[in-house]
């Protein structure tokens, strides 16, 4: 399954991150029983926030791309947590998406679709999930998006 995930990601111009740096005093993931909890991921690549600032009606595609990168980092943490064995993922249960946006912005669901679409493309039926999309007035490191996730494992 790892090879097929790598193929899907590379066809979209993405590659699994090798390691993910934590930006605080917390665990990046926690495996408890059959659940894998992934801490909030920012749109970071090579230790740098690539998507920062407020999302508005003019740059919502920028926000969508930021959410994709957050989801890529979630998938990277799954790879680390499951030691490369993606076949142990039974399903994505939930993602929570936070959008750093201007106060009159109402397209948070569109922005978080960036993460949902990537997770569904990678995990297929197992990627169908519940979710929340919330607008906030700021995020850590001035990131445009932050996303956390819960997965069910074998």
């Amino acid at each position: 399954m790892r090879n097929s995930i790598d193929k899907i990601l590379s066809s979209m111009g993405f590659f699994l991150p090798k390691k993910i740096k934590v930006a605080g005093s917390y665990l990046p993931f926690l495996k408890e029983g059959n659940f894998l909890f992934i801490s909030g991921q920012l749109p970071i690549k090579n230790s740098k926030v690539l998507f920062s600032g407020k999302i508005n009606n003019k740059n919502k595609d920028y926000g969508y791309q930021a959410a994709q990168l957050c989801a890529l980092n979630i998938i990277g943490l799954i790879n680390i947590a499951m030691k490369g064995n993606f076949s142990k993922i039974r399903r994505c249960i939930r993602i929570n998406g936070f959008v750093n946006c201007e106060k009159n912005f109402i397209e948070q669901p569109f922005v978080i679709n960036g993460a949902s679409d990537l997770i569904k493309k990678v995990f297929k039926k197992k990627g169908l999930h519940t979710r929340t999309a919330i607008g906030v007035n700021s995020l850590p490191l001035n990131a445009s998006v932050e996303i956390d996730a819960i997965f069910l494992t074998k």
Side-chain angles (χ1 to χ4, degrees), residues 2 16 18 29 31 36 75-89 153:
R2 165 71 194 271
L16 278 176
K18 300 278 188 247
F29 62 85
K31 177 110 170 52
L36 177 61
I75 296 165
L77 282 172
I78 292 168
N79 184 43
I80 294 166
M82 306 307 290
K83 298 178 175 47
N85 191 351
F86 283 98
S87 66
K88 289 190 175 183
I89 295 297
T153 66

Side-chain angles (χ1 to χ4, degrees), residues 34-148:
N34 287 341
F35 291 97
L36 177 61
F37 298 88
I38 307 288
S39 293
Q41 295 301 298
L42 302 176
I44 291 177
K45 184 175 182 180
N46 298 325
S47 301
K48 183 179 179 193
V49 175
L50 294 189
F51 298 88
S52 61
K54 299 278 185 202
I55 301 300
N56 57 44
N57 289 322
K58 293 178 184 172
N59 70 353
K60 67 182 183 178
D61 291 330
Y62 179 85
Y64 183 97
Q65 293 171 344
Q68 281 184 313
L69 184 52
C70 293
L72 182 65
N73 288 332
I74 287 169
I75 296 165
L77 282 172
I78 292 168
N79 184 43
I80 294 166
M82 306 307 290
K83 298 178 175 47
N85 191 351
F86 283 98
S87 66
K88 289 190 175 183
I89 295 297
R90 288 175 50 195
R91 95 167 298 127
C92 180
I93 300 291
R94 182 167 188 78
I95 68 169
N96 296 304
F98 305 89
V99 181
N100 179 5
C101 59
E102 294 181 358
K103 69 179 185 177
N104 62 349
F105 183 70
I106 60 170
E107 296 288 335
Q108 293 86 358
F110 172 83
V111 170
I112 302 306
N113 280 347
S116 292
D117 293 346
L118 184 61
I119 288 170
K120 287 187 294 187
K121 184 151 187 150
V122 167
F123 293 103
K124 309 221 180 320
K125 281 186 177 180
K126 294 177 183 182
L128 298 173
H129 55 270
T130 63
R131 79 167 198 203
T132 300
I134 299 171
V136 297
N137 75 345
S138 69
L139 286 171
L141 307 175
N142 195 33
S144 295
V145 177
E146 181 173 3
I147 299 177
D148 66 38

